[in-house]
Amino acid sequence: MSATAAATEIQNTPLIGVEDLHTFYGKSHILHGISLKVGAGEVVGLLGRNGVGKSTTLKTIMGLVRPSQGRVVYQGYPITSMAPHKLARMGIAYVPEDRRIFRLLTVMENLRTGLDRGNVTDARKRELLDKVFTYFPVLAERRDQAGGTLSGGEQQMLAIARAMMLEPKIILLDEPTEGLMPRMVSQISEIIGALHREGVAILLVEQNVPLTLAASQRVYIMEKGEVRHHALASELKVGDPVIQQYLGI
Amino acid sequence: MDLLQQCFHGMSFDLFVIQTLNGIVTGMILALVASGLTLIFGIMDVVNFAHGELFMLGAYMGVLVLATTGSFWLALILATLIVGLIGAALQITTLRPLIGRDPLTTILATFGISLILQNYALWQFGPVARKIQEPYTGHFNLFYLEYPWYRLVIAGLSAAIIGGFWMFLKYGKYGIWIRATTQDRVMAQAMGIPVPWVHTAAFAIGAGMAAASGVLFGPLVGVNHIMGLDWVLKAFIVVVVGGMGNLGGSIAAAILISLLEAYASMLGCISPAQAVIVSFVVLVLTLLFRPTGLFVPTPK
Ligand SMILES: Nc1ncnc2c1ncn2[C@@H]1O[C@H](COP(=O)(O)OP(=O)(O)OP(=O)(O)O)[C@@H](O)[C@H]1O
Ligand SMILES: [Mg+2]
């Protein structure tokens, strides 16, 4: 199946569609008409050099910055600039680049920020906790420790686990392996695989190209606030000219 | 030497015990006022200049409910709830629209609210101080003094309210929401916490706590439209000394400053009116040597 064929298939049932998004920080024009789609249960990579606007794309989807033009559609509904807390309750989870653990809250309390949602039964809460503690046993060990005392890798795990508490349909995952030791990196790529098998869609921003190509079904490559290339992950290899051209590796 | 003699003239162990008790009583009330102030500052970076007026409004509500129902306890509860609701309404109408603007705008807004409330109270209730009858008029003997039980009740109730609030923050679902929002507003939203409403709730809780302190303190001083001024000033000092937004620090600072003031007023060379200088001295020393606050752990 070619990238266009895959795109057509997703077009019929996209979970999230981003259409011609323009975003400014003050006067600087950062996103110049981004369009992309993520299908239900699909892992999509978003690659690009530093500063091309990958994080800004995720923040705009999450409602953390307002686009000046364009729209975001989720399950067929326009959600552009909706309040982030509503999006979170609708199934969009966000794991930011700098992790943003609640440093003074314990690991358990960090998880509870996503778990205490009203319509979740106690049994379901326990299931969700058991699940993340199976994926990340270290979090169970440190459940009563303040988030700020965890190591970088543990904080990343907590950030992902916390997002999972929302039972999301999609996770916006921003550079999860940044600054992690190789062992941690492979653990993160395992969890991405596990989430995929569970049917959770992921929009994955990464600098780690091999990991992204391995974890994703499709990838978009950005440059200067625009999508320049779109391909099936299986059609790309680390040494390809497009990768060299846009990512310089 | 003469000055020293004059200063320590009349000092005794009895007086020391009495002043310790007085310091703790005012300290607990002050802690109750300051807790709300520091909660509001910590969570939304709003310096609430209307906090003293919420205290005053609470005392007046207490006067009204007491006059109609005759029950001090009902007055305490209703005044807390009503002023809490008024606080919520004020937050929604004047502070929520200012989110994301220059902090100066919120200072002007809360200052405006304080002037309106003060003048409303003057217009509505007149300049003559009203009285709240204390629920207990009993005394016990403390050395040569008849010490009113009610003062101890104030200290105990304030401690209970603060303790309850602390437990709520520590264990309650909404307490976790408040703490998460205080630490990282943006991430709290991304986790599905309705941050605008958490702000409203925090403001309402702060207002309710100020009102409760107003009712509790009313019997000791009399209720008038400017009774909030002294308190809010002192509460601001406490919040800064305790470390802006740090609840435990504010409570400790409230008790420390009240104790120091109570001890200073024992000194023969300082009139009780001059003893208030102590809080300013503590403030200046804190700002000079530990500007992040006395009771916050040293940043690493
Ligand atoms: N809050 C902000 N205010 C102003 N400019 C910003 C802000 N955040 C990001 N920028 C700028 O916007 C551009 C895009 O930033 P963004 O964080 O989206 O890039 P990125 O692709 O995620 O880069 P990286 O790989 O370094 O994370 C950069 O030039 C950055 O300097
Ligand atoms: Mg980024």
Side-chain angles (χ1 to χ4, degrees):
Chain A
M1 190 166 53
S2 73
T4 19
T8 335
E9 191 193 84
I10 286 150
Q11 210 137 22
N12 300 331
T13 51
L15 180 64
I16 273 204
V18 169
E19 298 164 13
D20 189 32
L21 222 49
H22 287 257
T23 300
F24 287 74
Y25 284 121
K27 285 211 171 95
S28 39
H29 196 169
I30 306 295
L31 300 187
H32 298 259
I34 295 281
S35 296
L36 53 83
K37 288 197 172 73
V38 181
E42 196 188 20
V43 180
V44 173
L46 187 56
L47 295 168
R49 290 182 204 235
N50 285 334
V52 297
K54 304 180 300 292
S55 299
T56 306
T57 305
L58 297 192
K59 284 178 194 164
T60 311
I61 296 173
M62 196 63 210
L64 300 172
V65 283
R66 275 164 192 275
S68 62
Q69 192 187 317
R71 47 180 222 149
V72 183
V73 178
Y74 176 67
Q75 293 182 317
Y77 299 99
I79 55 160
T80 325
S81 301
M82 252 174 84
H85 70 266
K86 293 196 179 129
L87 299 180
R89 295 291 173 90
M90 286 165 60
I92 306 178
Y94 173 57
V95 179
E97 203 168 6
D98 42 3
R99 286 127 204 194
R100 298 185 91 146
I101 293 305
F102 300 111
R103 305 181 65 82
L104 300 177
L105 265 55
T106 64
V107 167
M108 196 62 190
E109 288 168 344
N110 267 279
L111 296 174
R112 277 185 66 187
T113 58
L115 205 53
D116 290 345
R117 277 175 284 139
N119 48 9
V120 190
T121 62
D122 283 350
R124 183 72 189 131
K125 286 183 187 180
R126 225 166 302 122
E127 267 175 58
L128 283 167
L129 285 173
D130 284 347
K131 190 170 79 183
V132 297
F133 287 154
T134 319
Y135 285 143
F136 306 117
V138 67
L139 294 183
E141 275 165 43
R142 305 191 190 254
R143 62 206 297 163
D144 295 321
Q145 218 169 301
T149 65
L150 302 186
S151 73
E154 290 163 354
Q155 290 195 11
Q156 185 62 63
M157 291 177 193
L158 179 54
I160 295 174
R162 185 177 61 175
M164 287 167 66
M165 293 296 107
L166 292 167
E167 299 182 83
K169 298 215 165 44
I170 180 167
I171 301 182
L172 310 174
L173 192 50
D174 201 346
E175 301 204 23
T177 67
E178 191 189 17
L180 297 190
M181 297 181 307
R183 192 171 51 79
M184 293 279 190
V185 172
S186 56
Q187 218 178 331
I188 299 289
S189 81
E190 269 168 42
I191 192 78
I192 293 174
L195 287 167
H196 176 55
R197 283 192 294 281
E198 273 180 36
V200 179
I202 297 177
L203 181 52
L204 173 65
V205 167
E206 257 302 336
Q207 302 279 358
N208 183 332
V209 178
L211 182 144
T212 311
L213 294 183
S216 318
Q217 283 82 64
R218 288 182 301 122
V219 288
Y220 293 92
I221 303 181
M222 282 179 71
E223 191 185 50
K224 293 190 187 142
E226 287 179 65
V227 171
R228 287 293 166 83
H229 195 79
H230 173 209
L232 287 179
S234 56
E235 290 172 347
L236 286 176
K237 279 189 300 294
V238 177
D240 279 352
V242 264
I243 302 259
Q244 272 174 359
Q245 182 188 348
Y246 293 117
L247 305 172
I249 48 170
Chain B
M1 276 300 103
D2 269 2
L3 185 67
L4 261 186
Q5 226 165 21
Q6 191 200 341
C7 267
F8 290 99
H9 177 78
M11 285 267 260
S12 66
F13 177 71
D14 307 0
L15 193 54
F16 179 79
V17 172
I18 289 167
Q19 285 302 77
T20 304
L21 218 51
N22 283 336
I24 289 173
V25 171
T26 19
M28 289 316 298
I29 289 277
L30 188 55
L32 198 52
V33 181
S35 299
L37 202 56
T38 206
L39 168 74
I40 290 168
F41 176 79
I43 201 165
M44 50 192 136
D45 298 327
V46 166
V47 179
N48 181 21
F49 278 93
H51 212 68
E53 277 59 48
L54 295 169
F55 171 87
M56 174 269 294
L57 213 56
Y60 271 119
M61 287 297 160
V63 169
L64 292 182
V65 177
L66 189 58
T68 34
T69 67
S71 160
F72 178 87
W73 303 112
L74 207 56
L76 178 64
I77 292 166
L78 283 182
T80 305
L81 292 179
I82 293 169
V83 175
L85 285 179
I86 293 174
L90 286 174
Q91 197 277 340
I92 292 171
T93 51
T94 49
L95 291 174
R96 189 179 282 181
L98 298 178
I99 283 179
R101 303 270 192 93
D102 190 329
L104 186 63
T105 58
T106 62
I107 291 179
L108 290 175
T110 58
F111 188 61
I113 293 173
S114 91
L115 291 180
I116 291 170
L117 291 180
Q118 236 178 70
N119 286 290
Y120 172 78
L122 179 61
W123 171 64
Q124 188 70 30
F125 303 104
V128 182
R130 307 288 183 95
K131 177 99 180 91
I132 294 181
Q133 182 61 47
E134 60 263 57
Y136 296 114
T137 45
H139 293 72
F140 62 95
N141 287 326
L142 188 65
F143 308 110
Y144 49 87
L145 210 69
E146 298 257 276
Y147 202 85
W149 274 115
Y150 178 65
R151 287 185 171 241
L152 296 190
V153 171
I154 296 182
L157 269 180
S158 305
I161 295 172
I162 293 172
F165 176 57
W166 191 284
M167 299 291 280
F168 161 76
L169 280 185
K170 186 99 184 66
Y171 299 108
K173 159 180 162 186
Y174 298 113
I176 291 179
W177 284 13
I178 287 181
R179 284 188 291 142
T181 306
T182 302
Q183 282 171 51
D184 189 336
R185 201 175 296 166
V186 171
M187 198 57 224
Q189 273 188 292
M191 286 309 297
I193 297 174
V195 166
W197 288 106
V198 173
H199 282 178
T200 304
F203 200 89
I205 292 171
M209 283 164 73
S213 14
V215 179
L216 286 174
F217 200 66
L220 303 192
V221 286
V223 178
N224 65 23
H225 66 287
I226 49 167
M227 71 185 290
L229 293 180
D230 287 352
W231 280 94
V232 78
L233 183 60
K234 233 180 247 180
F236 275 129
I237 293 175
V238 160
V239 167
V240 173
V241 170
M244 301 287 276
N246 174 344
L247 185 62
S250 291
I251 294 165
I255 292 171
L256 172 78
I257 284 180
S258 302
L259 278 176
L260 289 179
E261 269 187 22
Y263 295 144
S265 65
M266 285 164 37
L267 301 176
C269 50
I270 294 182
S271 76
Q274 286 168 339
V276 296
I277 293 170
V278 169
S279 49
F280 292 97
V281 173
V282 175
L283 174 66
V284 170
L285 291 178
T286 306
L287 288 178
L288 279 178
F289 297 108
R290 235 183 125 86
T292 50
L294 277 193
F295 299 99
V296 283
T298 317
K300 286 177 209 101

